[in-house]
Amino acid sequence: MTVGYAFSHETVFADLRLAAMKREREPSSKAYRQDRFENTERAAKETIEAEQRARREKTKRLKELRLAQQSGHDPATK
């Protein structure tokens, strides 16, 4: 009796695994992954561009400050 139960138990799980393998993936999950990938790429690109802008602005401010100090002007009074 125990052997018959074990056999039917294994058969049920084997059938469930087979059904899961045969089932086609939902197209929405692929679309969701694609959207998430594109959003991540866009966010990364925007972050890089923002960092570059900040670096350019900082360089510009430091350059103006250095020039003002060399010419004897106070940049705060501009």
Side-chain angles (χ1 to χ4, degrees):
M1 177 149 181
T2 312
V3 176
Y5 175 75
F7 175 74
S8 65
H9 181 76
E10 290 175 5
T11 305
V12 169
F13 280 109
D15 290 343
L16 288 174
R17 281 196 304 271
L18 185 61
M21 288 171 30
K22 288 182 177 179
R23 185 176 61 233
E24 293 207 14
R25 290 181 171 255
E26 297 177 21
S28 62
S29 65
K30 184 175 182 181
Y32 172 76
R33 287 193 312 272
Q34 182 65 28
D35 286 346
R36 193 173 67 191
F37 174 77
E38 289 172 359
N39 289 340
T40 303
E41 286 288 305
R42 184 172 44 253
K45 184 178 179 183
E46 290 171 358
T47 301
I48 291 169
E49 290 172 353
E51 289 172 349
Q52 289 173 343
R53 274 194 308 274
R55 204 168 319 143
R56 284 193 299 267
E57 286 295 319
K58 182 179 177 183
T59 302
K60 182 180 173 185
R61 285 193 310 271
L62 289 173
K63 189 175 182 180
E64 289 173 352
L65 180 62
R66 198 173 321 125
L67 288 173
Q69 286 174 346
Q70 286 176 355
S71 64
H73 294 100
D74 185 8
T77 60
K78 276 188 174 183

